[in-house]
Amino acid sequence: MSKLVPPHGGKGLTICLLEGKDREAELKKAAKLVKIEISAQAKGDLIMMGIGGFSPLTGFMTKDDWKSVCEKLTLADGTFWPVPVMLSCSADDAHKIKYGDEIALERKGEIYATMQVTEKFPLTEAEKKWECEKVYKGEGADSQGDFMAVALKDHPGVQMVMARKEFCLAGPVKVLSEGEYPEKYKGIYIRPAELRAMMEKKGWSKVAALQLRNPMHRSHEFLAKIAVEVCDGVVIHSLIGNLKPGDIPAEVRVKCIDTLVEKYFVKDHVIQAGYPLDMRYAGPREALLHATFRQNYGVNNMLIGRDHAGVGDFYGLFEAQTIFDKIPYATEEAKCGVEPGKALLCQPMKIDWTFYCFKCDGMASLRTCPHGKDDRVVLSGTKLRKMLSEGGEIPDHFGRNEVLDILREYYSGLTEKVEIKMQGAAAGTAMK
Amino acid sequence: MSKLVPPHGGKGLTICLLEGKDREAELKKAAKLVKIEISAQAKGDLIMMGIGGFSPLTGFMTKDDWKSVCEKLTLADGTFWPVPVMLSCSADDAHKIKYGDEIALERKGEIYATMQVTEKFPLTEAEKKWECEKVYKGEGADSQGDFMAVALKDHPGVQMVMARKEFCLAGPVKVLSEGEYPEKYKGIYIRPAELRAMMEKKGWSKVAALQLRNPMHRSHEFLAKIAVEVCDGVVIHSLIGNLKPGDIPAEVRVKCIDTLVEKYFVKDHVIQAGYPLDMRYAGPREALLHATFRQNYGVNNMLIGRDHAGVGDFYGLFEAQTIFDKIPYATEEAKCGVEPGKALLCQPMKIDWTFYCFKCDGMASLRTCPHGKDDRVVLSGTKLRKMLSEGGEIPDHFGRNEVLDILREYYSGLTEKVEIKMQGAAAGTAMK
């Protein structure tokens, strides 16, 4: 029997992906169905349902589930779930679809799934705003004045909710494509069942995941290594879906991690993998989502650092940690009483603000280092990006040189592209 | 309600210490009772029973308990207990004592307890040897040839068992003294109930203990700091009972820890304390004992490093870690089924061999550092002792200078004493 944590929801991995002949037959059928163009976010959500990453979800949410998730962080049946997973369509499309219809879900000409529509409901602007306030508004937001006014301008997650079309469709899906991921991220894009098999082979049972959407710096390495000291191993689990503009693309990040793993980790205790979701930037709620789908990947400890899944100043630096104390979450004691599967089993591994400290003579955090600001090398990701793209000197101990070299190369490439673009524009020819 | 782990055994803290008028009355009575001179080890055991550190034990073990502990690591009633806790007396004394008699337990003229004798039994040389083989012989010992022959010469724990007198006495105790500890280690000697109160005040629930019987070097600091990163706090918990000759006395160790805590720890997450037991050097079994009584102190994670509680080459370097996988030990899952109190709840926090690594640019362990021997600063305690006492240069990054200074001072004092002794001897006067 596997020693890994069971998938969330008590039903094993709920795999919605068809393969081989089943897939071919379904694709043939799909060609004749009404087609709905889906968002990038919905594509990622679909692939996760396909591979069991969103177990126990097997389709987009009903209005009852949506309301319950927003309000109570559980599906209508009481199973823990922190963030709505919605499929929207225009009023025009909605009028073409009847209850029980099968439809095809496509994006940019590729069919990602078929779906049997079991529910069709409008979500008004007011309801979407309510969702944003419930899901995306942090605890400190009351002092932020008009949250929605600011968020509409600056919060990419809120913008995605508000950009959803008038109607939502719910119902079970059959997933027909994993998009570009298996090809583009070969060896990195690993399905939950595959990751579980790898970890079982290694004999792991206590496993931590490090969520990454930025290049892996020493702070991230430090988090991962704390986990390795106290767990069987760590999964460095990168988001390989879409980010906001200006963030560093997954290929570059994966290359950085490759190098770090190669030069600074013990192979027996680390796995690099990626998952196909887009960022929602929902801060605390997204941290819970990260823990929830990590459980499906066989992970029972989710590293949560500073401002996990946050954006701008929308969340308190440690709100994504404290929210774990407030959820219907299966602590060791509670587990005996809780209905199996309904509560989250993946626990947070909360780490404070980390940095290199000269007096400590190594990496430390605010929990372990009593020294002063001047003893520490602190550099925000934003500052680092600026230094790297402007070719500035990076302070000692901040990063690993091998990683910084990759980032310098990436940024110099960006600069070249911009220069070529400008030259082209100057010469009166448009670059594409 | 306290969020700390409950004491071992399911009966709360079983406190056998009398205080105030009760103690005075009992002391008066004790003066008239038959007196048994007890060993240093038994004195420590008694004080632990006094303050609830050995909960649920309220007296020395019966023959059934002794046999069950040696064979099955449980008391006769099934409660986990890893090491015999025995009171011996000579055959002459035994003949003076009848079942049901009350006796007084004294050492060097001080009465430590009274005891009602409920059982009196001989343990033959063969039985004591059997105990040693069961409790003190490590897993690798089969290849050690004649374990007992080697152990009788070099194993201080085995020597203590074999030095016990012919008879054992069992029965409940009333403890009347905590010896020199409250006075000599003021602020460090902290009873389980007091430590629990301190931790409750700090709001701790996940607490690790670091066992120390050597000066605290960077490796120990590293263990403690890993714990601080993932727990609410760490208790640096020194043995202040007796060690083998040549080990560094508790006063000096406490001073080192004071300095480290002052200069290198964040006060909110650390408590320094001491416990009054003597070392048994039982390696893996003693690691289990350390976890068991730590649970009584409110600790639910016991740091177990390399060769925990070992002596010489008697145990495999990580035997004290793997033994935790083999005991009737309450894992999260099992807890729901196990009879409350009988299983150990304090979990091991197993840490691999640690060192400073130049390439890692900080402290690391064999789990996190992939580099070579030449990149690491590795120094055994024995080598360090030699360097310090001979005034040698300590390699960079090995220790904290503030701590090394204290040790240098201690060793130079030793040298002076030896010199004075030698001068005295040369002048024909004996030093005392």
Side-chain angles (χ1 to χ4, degrees), chain B residues 177-190:
Chain B
S177 169
E178 294 166 277
E180 70 279 25
Y181 296 109
E183 190 83 5
K184 188 169 172 191
Y185 297 102
K186 210 171 174 166
I188 296 293
Y189 174 73
I190 297 170

Side-chain angles (χ1 to χ4, degrees), chain A residues 142-169:
Chain A
D142 285 338
S143 59
Q144 286 168 17
D146 187 347
F147 165 71
M148 279 309 289
V150 184
L152 277 171
K153 216 161 54 71
D154 294 328
H155 196 302
V158 165
Q159 288 165 348
M160 282 186 270
V161 173
M162 298 312 291
R164 285 203 311 246
K165 297 178 194 135
E166 301 93 310
F167 275 76
C168 287
L169 302 172

Side-chain angles (χ1 to χ4, degrees), chain A residues 206 218 221-222 224-226 228-233 261-267 269 332-333 335-336 347 349-352 354 356 359-371 397 400, chain B residues 206 218 221-222 224-226 228-233 261-267 269 332-333 335-336 347 349-352 354 356 359-371 397 400:
Chain A
K206 187 174 180 186
R218 278 199 72 181
E221 183 193 325
F222 182 51
K225 287 190 166 175
I226 292 170
V228 170
E229 296 295 0
V230 297
C231 299
D232 298 316
V261 165
E262 180 61 31
K263 306 249 179 191
Y264 293 96
F265 279 83
V266 176
K267 306 278 175 301
H269 301 297
E332 291 175 28
E333 292 73 29
K335 246 185 275 175
C336 304
Q347 307 197 14
M349 187 173 276
K350 305 172 182 176
I351 311 284
D352 210 320
T354 62
Y356 181 92
K359 279 203 181 141
C360 289
D361 190 29
M363 294 297 295
S365 83
L366 285 182
R367 296 176 68 80
T368 48
C369 165
H371 306 120
H397 307 291
R400 300 298 188 185
Chain B
K206 187 175 179 185
R218 278 199 73 181
E221 183 193 326
F222 183 51
K225 286 190 167 176
I226 291 170
V228 170
E229 296 294 0
V230 297
C231 299
D232 297 318
V261 166
E262 179 62 29
K263 305 251 179 187
Y264 293 97
F265 279 82
V266 176
K267 305 277 176 301
H269 302 297
E332 292 176 26
E333 292 73 30
K335 247 187 269 176
C336 304
Q347 308 196 14
M349 188 173 275
K350 305 171 182 176
I351 311 283
D352 210 320
T354 62
Y356 181 92
K359 280 204 181 138
C360 288
D361 190 29
M363 292 299 293
S365 83
L366 285 183
R367 295 176 67 81
T368 49
C369 166
H371 306 119
H397 306 290
R400 301 298 189 184

Side-chain angles (χ1 to χ4, degrees), chain A residues 57-358:
Chain A
L57 301 192
T58 52
F60 290 98
M61 289 185 183
T62 63
K63 186 150 188 190
D64 278 356
D65 282 335
W66 169 81
K67 188 160 179 281
S68 178
V69 164
C70 291
E71 258 179 357
K72 297 189 286 191
L73 297 107
T74 66
L75 301 173
D77 74 356
T79 303
F80 178 75
W81 199 273
V83 172
V85 177
M86 311 307 291
L87 179 71
S88 78
C89 69
S90 66
D92 277 356
D93 281 339
H95 292 314
K96 290 183 223 158
I97 298 164
K98 295 190 308 293
Y99 288 88
D101 275 1
E102 283 197 290
I103 59 172
L105 307 181
E106 71 172 2
R107 180 170 171 80
K108 298 186 175 171
E110 180 164 5
I111 292 178
Y112 281 92
T114 60
M115 166 171 166
Q116 194 182 26
V117 179
T118 58
E119 197 176 311
K120 178 174 95 176
F121 56 97
L123 278 184
T124 64
E125 291 296 294
E127 283 173 314
K128 288 197 281 185
K129 276 187 188 162
W130 178 81
E131 174 183 338
C132 292
E133 301 251 352
K134 285 284 171 191
V135 176
Y136 290 86
K137 187 172 158 179
E139 282 187 349
D142 285 338
S143 59
Q144 286 168 17
D146 187 347
F147 165 71
M148 279 309 289
V150 184
L152 277 171
K153 216 161 54 71
D154 294 328
H155 196 302
V158 165
Q159 288 165 348
M160 282 186 270
V161 173
M162 298 312 291
R164 285 203 311 246
K165 297 178 194 135
E166 301 93 310
F167 275 76
C168 287
L169 302 172
V173 296
K174 290 175 183 161
V175 179
L176 305 171
S177 169
E178 294 167 276
E180 70 278 25
Y181 296 109
E183 189 82 5
K184 189 170 171 188
Y185 296 103
K186 210 170 171 164
I188 295 294
Y189 174 72
I190 297 171
R191 296 176 185 171
E194 291 164 352
L195 190 66
R196 284 175 169 269
M198 289 165 74
M199 300 196 299
E200 270 164 33
K201 209 173 152 192
K202 283 172 177 278
W204 290 5
S205 61
K206 187 174 180 186
V207 185
L210 176 70
Q211 156 75 23
L212 272 187
R213 56 166 165 138
N214 289 314
M216 193 167 175
H217 296 303
R218 278 199 72 181
S219 281
H220 303 115
E221 183 193 325
F222 182 51
L223 262 61
K225 287 190 166 175
I226 292 170
V228 170
E229 296 295 0
V230 297
C231 299
D232 298 316
V234 71
V235 179
I236 301 175
H237 211 201
S238 295
L239 178 134
I240 52 178
N242 297 298
L243 296 154
K244 60 184 167 55
D247 284 345
I248 291 177
E251 308 89 273
V252 180
R253 288 183 278 120
V254 165
K255 208 172 150 192
C256 293
I257 299 168
D258 275 342
T259 304
L260 257 185
V261 165
E262 180 61 31
K263 306 249 179 191
Y264 293 96
F265 279 83
V266 176
K267 306 278 175 301
D268 284 351
H269 301 297
V270 64
I271 294 174
Q272 186 189 176
Y275 67 95
L277 279 184
D278 289 5
M279 277 302 293
R280 282 169 158 83
Y281 301 97
R285 287 269 195 146
E286 189 155 358
L288 294 175
L289 182 66
H290 285 164
T292 308
F293 75 73
R294 255 45 169 250
Q295 187 181 324
N296 292 328
Y297 278 93
V299 165
N300 53 359
N301 284 272
M302 182 71 214
L303 282 159
I304 309 282
R306 185 171 56 90
D307 200 23
H308 187 106
V311 61
D313 295 326
F314 280 97
Y315 307 107
L317 285 185
F318 295 99
E319 249 184 273
Q321 295 186 350
T322 50
I323 196 168
F324 279 87
D325 306 331
K326 297 167 192 162
I327 59 164
Y329 154 68
T331 59
E332 291 175 28
E333 292 73 29
K335 246 185 275 175
C336 304
V338 171
E339 200 178 327
K342 298 228 160 164
L344 182 62
L345 296 173
C346 178
Q347 307 197 14
M349 187 173 276
K350 305 172 182 176
I351 311 284
D352 210 320
W353 197 318
T354 62
F355 41 76
Y356 181 92
C357 168
F358 287 96

Side-chain angles (χ1 to χ4, degrees), chain B residues 229-410:
Chain B
E229 296 294 0
V230 297
C231 299
D232 297 318
V234 70
V235 179
I236 301 175
H237 210 201
S238 296
L239 178 136
I240 51 178
N242 296 300
L243 294 155
K244 60 184 168 53
D247 285 343
I248 292 177
E251 308 88 274
V252 180
R253 290 183 278 121
V254 164
K255 207 171 153 194
C256 293
I257 299 168
D258 275 344
T259 303
L260 258 186
V261 166
E262 179 62 29
K263 305 251 179 187
Y264 293 97
F265 279 82
V266 176
K267 305 277 176 301
D268 284 351
H269 302 297
V270 63
I271 293 174
Q272 188 190 173
Y275 67 95
L277 278 185
D278 289 5
M279 275 305 291
R280 283 169 157 84
Y281 302 96
R285 288 269 195 147
E286 188 155 0
L288 294 175
L289 181 67
H290 285 164
T292 308
F293 74 72
R294 255 45 169 249
Q295 186 180 325
N296 293 328
Y297 277 94
V299 165
N300 53 359
N301 285 272
M302 182 71 214
L303 282 159
I304 309 283
R306 187 171 54 90
D307 199 23
H308 187 106
V311 61
D313 296 325
F314 280 97
Y315 306 107
L317 285 184
F318 295 100
E319 249 183 273
Q321 295 185 351
T322 50
I323 196 169
F324 279 88
D325 306 330
K326 297 166 194 165
I327 59 163
Y329 154 67
T331 59
E332 292 176 26
E333 292 73 30
K335 247 187 269 176
C336 304
V338 171
E339 201 178 327
K342 297 228 160 161
L344 182 63
L345 296 173
C346 180
Q347 308 196 14
M349 188 173 275
K350 305 171 182 176
I351 311 283
D352 210 320
W353 198 317
T354 62
F355 40 78
Y356 181 92
C357 168
F358 287 97
K359 280 204 181 138
C360 288
D361 190 29
M363 292 299 293
S365 83
L366 285 183
R367 295 176 67 81
T368 49
C369 166
H371 306 119
K373 222 178 148 183
D374 295 342
D375 303 314
R376 299 171 183 160
V377 182
V378 179
L379 200 56
S380 73
T382 316
K383 258 195 202 151
L384 177 74
R385 260 196 297 274
K386 200 161 174 283
M387 281 175 165
L388 284 168
S389 56
E390 291 170 1
E393 195 78 7
I394 311 297
D396 271 358
H397 306 290
F398 179 78
R400 301 298 189 184
N401 286 331
E402 297 89 337
V403 172
L404 295 177
D405 286 346
I406 295 169
L407 293 175
R408 279 198 195 92
E409 196 189 321
Y410 163 69

Side-chain angles (χ1 to χ4, degrees), chain B residues 1-15 51-56 188-207 235 237 271-273 291-301 344-346:
Chain B
M1 212 186 95
S2 174
K3 291 188 295 172
L4 297 169
V5 66
H8 180 55
K11 296 172 185 167
L13 288 175
T14 55
I15 310 259
I51 59 183
F54 268 181
S55 303
I188 296 293
Y189 174 73
I190 297 170
R191 296 176 184 172
E194 291 165 352
L195 190 65
R196 285 175 168 269
M198 289 165 75
M199 301 196 296
E200 270 164 34
K201 209 172 153 193
K202 284 172 178 277
W204 291 4
S205 61
K206 187 175 179 185
V207 185
V235 179
H237 210 201
I271 293 174
Q272 188 190 173
T292 308
F293 74 72
R294 255 45 169 249
Q295 186 180 325
N296 293 328
Y297 277 94
V299 165
N300 53 359
N301 285 272
L344 182 63
L345 296 173
C346 180

